[in-house]
Amino acid sequence: MIMNERLLASLGIVGSEAKIYKALLKVHTATPFLLARAAGIKRTTAYHAAQMLARKGLVVEDATKRPRTFSIAGPERVKELVREEETGLKARVKVFKELAEELARRGAEEFYPVPRIRFVEEEKLKQFLYKETPKWHESIMERDATWWGFQDHTFIDEYGKITDWYWKRAKAPLAVKLLSNHSATERKIAYKYPRRTIKFWNKANNFVSTTWVIGDYVVMVNTRRRPFYLVEIEDATFAHGLREVFKNLWPLI
């Protein structure tokens, strides 16, 4: 029986393994010594090749005999290998599909990142403002160097010292342009910081919280009633859209 070399190669049977497999087709069952002689290769090489074929399921090893023997796997065993391959292939296809979905999700996140949202309670609010403001400042400078938004006057009432602290560090060309509701506190500091501009919006009486657009961040702060809290959203797309709203609203007020 002559076995097609291309058929064996397509099954990954080449070199010494191909020689052993073709030898077994002729002798059916043989010891490593006889296989080596039939294939014209060294005994150790023949033994290793026969074991590799056994691991692939194409050869049956009988270790109960002394010396052990190897024989060709029958048609039923080969059909069983086909079923195993089909099952394995289905499993691999499933894994590759999951991998493709994961890569697609990660790719989508790269271009459309999932917003990062943080909630800060009152007892941690002051510390959070001091800690995160430098990060916000850096993000602002990467955009249009302007701190936009609406600021409820109660923020200055409660955290005015943070404003002083910030302006001792904020360097040009950074500017702050905020809408606000009328208050004595804001009028008092109206000209204290040259690059901080506040416009009083007559229609803002019903606004009861602060909303800042600072670079890629949108920050909302409630200081009107307790408990105070802050919500930070990091989302470049969301921040860009809201920044455009304030930029276009600014000259109209």
Side-chain angles (χ1 to χ4, degrees):
M1 178 180 180
I2 300 175
M3 178 60 68
N4 189 307
E5 294 283 350
R6 292 174 60 186
L7 175 60
L8 292 177
S10 66
L11 293 172
I13 304 173
V14 294
S16 299
E17 291 182 23
K19 291 179 180 180
I20 292 299
Y21 193 80
K22 287 191 289 184
L24 278 173
L25 285 173
K26 295 177 181 179
V27 300
H28 302 295
T29 300
T31 64
F33 174 77
L34 294 176
L35 279 176
R37 190 165 65 177
I41 58 178
K42 293 181 180 179
R43 180 183 176 282
T44 53
T45 303
Y47 179 63
H48 176 73
Q51 282 198 317
M52 292 300 295
L53 289 169
R55 290 174 187 172
K56 294 177 180 179
L58 297 170
V59 165
V60 178
E61 180 180 3
D62 188 350
T64 62
K65 294 182 179 179
R66 291 292 182 271
R68 68 184 63 207
T69 61
F70 293 91
S71 58
I72 288 288
E76 290 303 318
R77 173 54 184 154
V78 174
K79 290 179 181 178
E80 186 179 338
L81 288 175
V82 171
R83 290 191 291 271
E84 291 175 0
E85 285 290 324
E86 289 176 343
T87 301
L89 180 59
K90 289 179 181 178
R92 284 173 60 81
V93 168
K94 182 180 179 181
V95 170
F96 277 118
K97 285 183 178 179
E98 291 176 356
L99 176 60
E101 291 173 359
E102 176 67 16
L103 291 173
R105 184 185 66 79
R106 288 178 178 271
E109 288 181 0
E110 182 178 347
F111 294 101
Y112 304 99
V114 176
R116 297 181 180 88
I117 302 174
R118 290 199 286 180
F119 180 85
V120 182
E121 298 176 341
E122 182 174 349
E123 57 267 26
K124 298 179 181 179
L125 182 51
K126 182 184 293 186
Q127 180 183 359
F128 184 85
L129 288 168
Y130 279 116
K131 180 182 177 182
E132 300 301 317
T133 296
K135 176 190 70 178
W136 297 337
H137 178 87
E138 183 178 339
S139 186
I140 289 172
M141 300 308 290
E142 292 176 353
R143 297 305 174 188
D144 65 347
T146 304
W147 188 310
W148 295 97
F150 175 86
Q151 183 164 282
D152 180 40
H153 70 86
T154 60
F155 178 84
I156 294 297
D157 294 336
E158 298 293 339
Y159 298 105
K161 290 183 179 180
I162 292 179
T163 301
D164 286 329
W165 169 84
Y166 179 67
W167 280 106
K168 289 177 182 178
R169 292 160 177 77
K171 298 179 180 179
L174 180 131
V176 171
K177 295 182 179 180
L178 297 173
L179 304 177
S180 185
N181 35 26
H182 289 278
S183 71
T185 305
E186 278 293 356
R187 290 193 186 92
K188 185 177 179 180
I189 64 171
Y191 303 102
K192 187 175 182 179
Y193 313 105
R195 287 177 283 117
R196 182 179 186 270
T197 305
I198 299 292
K199 285 188 176 183
F200 297 111
W201 194 10
N202 293 329
K203 297 181 180 181
N205 293 329
N206 292 326
F207 282 79
V208 293
S209 65
T210 294
T211 300
W212 297 323
V213 184
I214 36 186
D216 290 342
Y217 298 85
V218 175
V219 177
M220 293 166 281
V221 191
N222 165 49
T223 51
R224 180 63 68 100
R225 51 178 174 265
R226 283 193 153 86
F228 299 159
Y229 61 84
L230 177 149
V231 177
E232 179 199 69
I233 303 173
E234 182 184 358
D235 186 300
T237 303
F238 181 43
H240 172 77
L242 199 54
R243 180 166 49 249
E244 289 300 307
V245 171
F246 282 109
K247 286 172 68 174
N248 285 279
L249 190 60
W250 185 257
L252 303 178
I253 297 174

